[in-house]
Amino acid sequence: MILAVKTEAVKTEELKLDIERIGTVSAILVQPGNARACYVLAHGAGAGMRHSFMDEVAVGLADRGIATLRFNFPYMENKQRRPDQPTVAHAAIRATVEEAARLCPGLKLVAGGKSFGGRMTSQAQSKAPLPGVKGLAFLGFPLHADNKPSTERAEHLARVDIPMLFLQGTRDRLADLSYLKPVIEELGPKAKLHEVAGGDHSFAVLRKSGRTNEEALEEVLDTLMAWIDEIA
């Protein structure tokens, strides 16, 4: 299927990925003709790869010359409510990274994703480097449970040795910035924080902010594009 976008035609391909000893999951590759990088994009805990947020990110990045390969975690593929155990999630991420390298030869690879998906990606990287991945980008890192600030979920980040970008809304109830900022400062120059003023966990803003959700997401995507180009 070919989609018309701002600059180049975009190829969208439906795929099936085999995860060794676990099973098969669905995936979607969105690749513009002028792609210079590919972002392995993992979904959040409550919605799969076809959620409107995931689609908007994929289309928006394609407009900016960035391909995406997004996928379902096994629990989402099998229509189960409870997220996979970390070992299963990590295996799915590794399989998708390998597929991205095969499908997008020559393109710079980055990985991460929305909330749970981003955290599982950083956990996988902390245990063993994801082959070829040059950086991790988090679209709302879930530092703690809803409105229950803590930093335990970030302890593994010290073992990640590649650049990291944290895109966080200032109203994110899953990432109190007074807790997240010291974590990022402790990580040093490999970690960068971009605050989306008034954004919640999905970067939605209040009407009184004077801007739209679409404008907030454009800020997120522009920042992500610039960071990907910066770590070239």
Side-chain angles (χ1 to χ4, degrees), residues 21-223:
R21 295 190 297 275
I22 293 173
T24 301
V25 299
S26 302
I28 302 174
L29 173 68
V30 179
Q31 185 173 9
N34 61 346
R36 60 190 181 278
C38 180
Y39 180 33
V40 176
L41 175 59
H43 64 73
M49 68 172 184
R50 298 184 189 278
H51 188 270
S52 59
F53 177 87
M54 301 288 285
D55 191 58
E56 289 165 4
V57 168
V59 171
L61 287 177
D63 287 348
R64 293 162 172 81
I66 309 295
T68 54
L69 181 59
R70 63 195 200 264
F71 63 99
N72 276 336
F73 285 109
Y75 79 96
M76 189 62 66
E77 185 76 8
N78 297 320
K79 298 180 171 55
Q80 298 170 346
R81 298 186 65 180
R82 184 184 296 275
D84 297 312
Q85 292 295 313
T87 53
V88 174
H90 299 167
I93 291 163
R94 291 188 184 281
T96 309
V97 166
E98 292 175 3
E99 188 68 3
R102 187 185 71 82
L103 293 170
C104 303
L107 298 189
K108 176 170 54 181
L109 285 183
V110 295
K114 182 76 184 81
S115 195
F116 168 83
R119 183 164 68 94
M120 290 298 102
T121 302
S122 59
Q123 283 185 2
Q125 175 69 29
S126 74
K127 291 181 178 298
L130 296 166
V133 170
K134 303 302 183 184
L136 304 181
F138 309 112
L139 305 177
F141 187 86
L143 184 63
H144 50 73
D146 188 1
N147 215 27
K148 296 181 179 180
S150 67
T151 60
E152 286 82 359
R153 289 182 178 178
E155 291 174 355
H156 70 281
L157 295 174
R159 299 189 296 277
V160 173
D161 59 1
I162 57 177
M164 290 175 279
L165 174 65
F166 295 79
L167 293 149
Q168 303 288 154
T170 59
R171 292 191 303 117
D172 190 340
R173 291 166 57 93
L174 277 67
D176 186 316
L177 289 178
S178 67
Y179 283 71
L180 182 60
K181 285 181 178 180
V183 167
I184 294 175
E185 290 172 3
E186 185 68 22
L187 292 171
K190 66 183 177 182
K192 179 179 180 180
L193 170 65
H194 180 86
E195 299 177 33
V196 179
D200 65 9
H201 192 54
S202 295
F203 310 114
V205 294
L206 299 173
R207 184 173 299 178
K208 66 181 181 182
S209 71
R211 62 176 179 163
T212 65
N213 293 342
E214 291 76 15
E215 289 170 335
L217 185 58
E218 289 286 308
E219 175 188 339
V220 168
L221 298 178
D222 284 344
T223 303

